[in-house]
Amino acid sequence: MAGTPVQVTGTVLTTRRVDAYHALTVVAPGIAERHRPGHFVSVAVGGPRTSMITRRAFTVHDVKPDYGGTVELVFTVRGPGTAWLAERRARDTLDLVGPLGRPFPLPRDPVHCVLVGDEYGAAVLFPVADALMERGCRVDFLLGGASADRVFGAMRARRMAATTTLTTEDGSLGLRGKVTDALPSVIADTRADAVYACGPMDTLRAVTAVAMEFDIPVQVAVEEAMACGIGVCMTCVLPVIGDDGVTRMVRACADGPVFRGERVRFEDVGTIPFDALGAPGGGARHAG
């Protein structure tokens, strides 16, 4: 049953603002009990007579057993769909499908893990942190954003992690700069064995590069725009190198959103590389 998606009509339990972001807690028992860290849900927006026919995908920040099971979604308003969602209030209902995607793999043995979250991408890392700590792992957080109000989860991270490092590009909170500027010292200071990350593609690309310099594994949850969320529409494809060394255009929603960072060809996201399987030069092994 774990991970098998279901469609439910969920009742909004609470809504709140978290600095620059919106958070909705929805009663969704079928989804909550199947959820694993890194899964996401897709939500129908706009109401029954809307012209917005595609769903919106959201990672899950928190899952609780209350009312048979609740999930909390964290997002920022980017367009009419998320603007509509931000206007929902307690006792409104939402049509949700989930859990979707592939969750984060967890280590078998206790290891030291650095969790890197950029802006609201950090939300998905808190269930990961809980799961890692249950396995005896040490967890250290590195969270950042453009400004203080765009750093998500700083207080919760400080309560649960061994250390928490904060960065802002404008210097309004923590260290001035990006999370990737502070990552090398965090990895060195914590003697990290693995990195888990979520955020914009540029951030994930840089996080992966740092982890590779330290020769430690990195798992990334990519933020690709998704329409269907179930692997049908092919709007969220990106080039990923397989175990056999061949690049394939894979679906972030069904084959991800979690990937090994070094397997994602970040420099080619948004394109179809000439050597990808099915492309004119397809099937060539990717050097590097």
Side-chain angles (χ1 to χ4, degrees):
M1 182 180 66
T4 303
V6 294
Q7 182 173 7
V8 302
T9 300
T11 301
V12 176
L13 185 63
T14 62
T15 66
R16 61 191 178 106
R17 287 297 301 268
V18 185
D19 295 326
Y21 307 117
H22 298 267
L24 266 67
T25 299
V26 185
V27 178
I31 294 175
E33 64 185 317
R34 292 168 168 81
H35 172 268
R36 297 294 180 269
H39 278 146
F40 68 95
V41 299
S42 67
V43 182
V45 296
R49 294 180 176 83
T50 183
S51 61
M52 293 184 284
I53 60 174
T54 59
R55 292 173 174 265
R56 303 297 188 271
F58 301 96
T59 54
V60 177
H61 169 235
D62 209 359
V63 177
K64 292 182 178 177
D66 307 7
Y67 304 96
T70 65
V71 296
E72 184 177 63
L73 316 177
V74 176
F75 61 96
T76 187
V77 172
R78 286 185 170 179
T82 45
W84 178 88
L85 195 63
E87 295 171 353
R88 298 311 94 198
R89 295 295 177 261
R91 293 193 293 275
D92 286 346
T93 58
L94 294 174
D95 183 308
L96 300 91
V97 174
L100 297 168
R102 295 178 56 166
F104 280 100
L106 302 174
R108 293 188 180 92
D109 302 313
V111 295
H112 292 191
C113 301
V114 172
L115 276 56
V116 184
D118 193 1
E119 304 220 334
Y120 68 94
V124 73
L125 298 175
F126 288 92
V128 180
D130 287 334
L132 290 170
M133 293 171 68
E134 287 176 2
R135 295 184 176 220
C137 296
R138 168 177 166 143
V139 169
D140 296 271
F141 269 103
L142 172 55
L143 306 176
S147 53
D149 65 331
R150 303 195 74 83
V151 178
F152 182 83
M155 291 182 61
R156 183 177 178 186
R158 283 171 169 157
R159 288 196 300 268
M160 66 191 303
T163 66
T164 298
T165 304
L166 307 176
T167 70
T168 48
E169 293 176 35
D170 66 359
S172 56
L173 179 66
L175 305 173
R176 180 185 290 273
K178 299 182 178 182
V179 286
T180 46
D181 297 329
L183 183 56
S185 62
V186 172
I187 290 176
D189 292 346
T190 62
R191 299 181 179 179
D193 300 301
V195 174
Y196 291 79
C198 185
M201 284 297 197
D202 287 347
T203 298
L204 298 183
R205 178 180 182 176
V207 167
T208 296
V210 173
M212 291 178 69
E213 288 178 9
F214 281 85
D215 195 27
I216 59 176
V218 53
Q219 300 286 342
V220 299
V222 301
E223 292 186 354
E224 275 290 282
M226 302 176 187
C228 73
I230 57 174
V232 175
C233 70
M234 307 297 285
T235 60
C236 63
V237 295
L238 72 165
V240 175
I241 304 166
D243 292 339
D244 56 2
V246 175
T247 295
R248 293 173 175 81
M249 300 304 294
V250 304
R251 302 160 298 177
C253 65
D255 303 304
V258 176
F259 298 98
R260 289 169 54 179
E262 72 276 11
R263 295 289 184 87
V264 180
R265 292 176 58 170
F266 289 105
E267 70 277 10
D268 294 319
V269 169
T271 71
I272 300 177
F274 79 95
D275 59 340
L277 191 68
R285 293 185 181 274
H286 181 63

